[in-house]
Amino acid sequence: MSSDLTPQTDRLFEQVRDILSSARTRAWRAVNETMVASYWEVGRAIVEEEQRGAERAEYGSQLLAQLSKRLTSEFGKGYDATNLRAMRQFFATFPIRDALRRELTWTHYRLLMRVENQNARTYYENESVAANWSTRELERQINSMLFERLALSRDKDGIKVLETEGQESYNPAELVKDPYVLEFTGIAEGTKYLESDLETALIAKLEQFLLELGKGFAFMGRQKRISFDGEHFYIDLVFYNRLTRCFVLIDLKTGKLTHQDLGQMQMYVNYYQREMMVEGENPPIGIVLCADKSEAVVRYTLPENNQQIFASRYRLHLPTEEELAHEIQREREIIEREQRLAG
């Protein structure tokens, strides 16, 4: 008899679990939305009161200290002067309450307030909602200067589209970053490792690697074999991108880029274009991911107006903001110089 009841119990358990899980999610969202709105209102009240002060700076400092003491006494932790200043900044940074995103938590907004560039801040806000980023993922993307790396190859109009619509790019050049930040592999900078070690680490952390690659990527396989004339060749990693509707082939190089590396990738791309493409797809692109590269080697190996083969560096640690800004500026100067020469 008990065996007859087991399927019924299972079905009932699943039904009740779904009901309770859904209710818990709705309750959490309601609490989060109310908390974020309340902190915005607290920030607005503080700003409006401060603006009435004759000696604004001194008055504001005293006001927050006194307010913090009384709020903490009545409501407990969470209302020290630092948090009250954050609420004040919240209102100043996001002055339109109706524009607040109900999907984002207070921690999301605390991270977003660290982003000084308004274009970048809008991008991270929109992407957090669209890609359902956790606060940890958002923090990593901000720290790795994702917006700046994506904006590198875009003009002003392209940056505006990136800000408002996210990484909905159909241009292969705008799909590629330089550098890629691969700190999640756990491989320490300066240690000896093989290309196979890097490949294995990326596969083991595939979810993080897909996040670093960007939108629309689907993993197709590793060490994909192509054969002709009795010879076999192996492409390290193969992806498909639904935005550009094309294969993305990645070869990993632990050393400095050579012209042979680019030539090999050109062969892979040619093979996929002639043998693997189907009607409606765009030509495949290839990315040689290397520890270092010479811009001269890239320039004189690849054809002008190249839109299929790219060489990008990778970093095994999360660089400082200054280091990343320097690399991005250097890459921007190279792109601008190439554009001037092409023009």
Side-chain angles (χ1 to χ4, degrees):
M1 183 173 179
S2 58
S3 60
D4 293 335
L5 292 176
T6 298
Q8 296 175 345
T9 305
D10 288 343
R11 285 195 298 272
L12 181 59
F13 170 76
E14 293 295 334
Q15 183 180 3
V16 172
R17 184 176 66 174
D18 290 344
I19 293 171
L20 295 178
S21 296
S22 178
R24 180 182 295 175
T25 300
R26 290 196 303 271
W28 179 86
R29 288 176 178 170
V31 169
N32 172 71
E33 187 177 356
T34 300
M35 183 176 68
V36 170
S38 298
Y39 288 169
W40 186 92
E41 291 288 357
V42 171
R44 180 168 68 96
I46 292 172
V47 169
E48 290 177 351
E49 182 61 32
E50 284 180 336
Q51 289 174 346
R52 286 195 283 268
E55 300 293 337
R56 187 172 305 170
E58 182 179 353
Y59 171 74
S61 176
Q62 294 174 358
L63 174 67
L64 290 185
Q66 295 169 4
L67 181 62
S68 171
K69 185 176 181 179
R70 296 186 64 177
L71 289 174
T72 301
S73 175
E74 184 164 346
F75 294 100
K77 295 181 180 179
Y79 297 96
D80 58 26
T82 299
N83 285 339
L84 292 178
R85 281 193 290 271
M87 295 175 200
R88 178 177 61 187
Q89 183 188 358
F90 183 35
F91 170 76
T93 307
F94 300 92
I96 304 174
R97 177 175 170 176
D98 289 344
L100 298 179
R101 309 299 292 269
R102 60 187 303 177
E103 300 91 343
L104 301 183
T105 67
W106 172 238
T107 306
H108 280 98
Y109 278 112
R110 289 289 294 265
L111 292 169
L112 290 169
M113 286 188 286
R114 288 169 27 191
V115 182
E116 296 183 3
N117 183 308
Q118 183 175 344
N119 292 336
R121 187 167 59 246
T122 301
Y123 166 78
Y124 290 124
E125 183 182 10
N126 290 335
E127 284 295 283
S128 293
V129 174
N132 196 27
W133 283 347
S134 66
T135 54
R136 179 178 295 182
E137 289 167 340
L138 172 60
E139 184 173 27
R140 181 191 180 275
Q141 301 294 31
I142 292 173
N143 290 340
S144 69
M145 298 180 71
L146 175 63
F147 177 81
E148 288 78 5
R149 288 186 288 147
L150 288 173
L152 185 62
S153 59
R154 290 168 166 81
D155 56 20
K156 290 183 178 179
D157 291 337
I159 291 175
K160 191 65 179 177
V161 171
L162 177 64
E163 171 197 343
T164 57
E165 300 181 15
Q167 194 182 344
E168 298 290 345
S169 174
Y170 299 90
N171 182 345
E174 295 179 353
L175 194 71
V176 180
K177 304 184 185 76
D178 195 359
Y180 285 84
V181 181
L182 309 179
E183 90 292 348
F184 52 82
T185 60
I187 300 176
E189 194 89 34
T191 60
K192 290 185 178 180
Y193 60 94
L194 302 175
E195 290 165 3
S196 58
D197 297 328
L198 178 57
E199 178 186 321
T200 299
L202 291 175
I203 295 300
K205 300 290 186 178
L206 186 58
E207 183 177 355
Q208 291 94 323
F209 189 36
L210 287 171
L211 183 66
E212 174 64 12
L213 288 175
K215 275 188 179 179
F217 278 89
F219 179 59
M220 304 298 290
R222 63 188 295 190
Q223 292 298 308
K224 297 289 283 187
R225 188 177 77 176
I226 61 176
S227 304
F228 47 85
D229 291 342
E231 291 190 72
H232 305 302
F233 303 90
Y234 297 87
I235 308 170
D236 289 339
L237 301 168
V238 177
F239 296 85
Y240 191 86
N241 187 271
R242 65 176 180 79
L243 300 181
T244 53
R245 297 174 66 191
C246 72
F247 286 103
V248 179
L249 317 178
I250 296 180
D251 243 11
L252 305 172
K253 302 298 176 184
T254 57
K256 190 171 184 178
L257 180 77
T258 68
H259 69 278
Q260 291 96 334
D261 297 329
L262 295 172
Q264 184 178 40
M265 179 55 75
Q266 183 69 70
M267 179 181 69
Y268 294 160
V269 166
N270 289 345
Y271 180 90
Y272 262 70
Q273 183 166 345
R274 297 169 189 175
E275 305 295 335
M276 305 297 288
M277 273 180 59
V278 299
E279 186 177 353
E281 290 184 333
N282 291 313
I285 67 173
I287 303 172
V288 181
L289 207 52
C290 54
D292 195 12
K293 68 175 181 178
S294 164
E295 298 299 338
V297 168
V298 176
R299 182 167 65 253
Y300 291 116
T301 302
L302 298 177
E304 295 182 0
N305 301 318
N306 161 65
Q307 288 289 306
Q308 285 188 271
I309 310 296
F310 301 91
S312 292
R313 294 159 296 161
Y314 64 84
R315 294 289 175 265
L316 293 175
H317 70 287
L318 190 62
T320 65
E321 184 175 341
E322 291 75 16
E323 290 172 334
L324 269 174
H326 176 73
E327 288 198 45
I328 291 170
Q329 180 59 32
R330 184 181 69 172
E331 195 68 21
R332 179 174 288 111
E333 291 172 354
I334 292 170
I335 291 173
E336 290 174 351
R337 184 170 63 248
E338 293 295 328
Q339 290 174 341
R340 287 196 300 271
L341 291 174

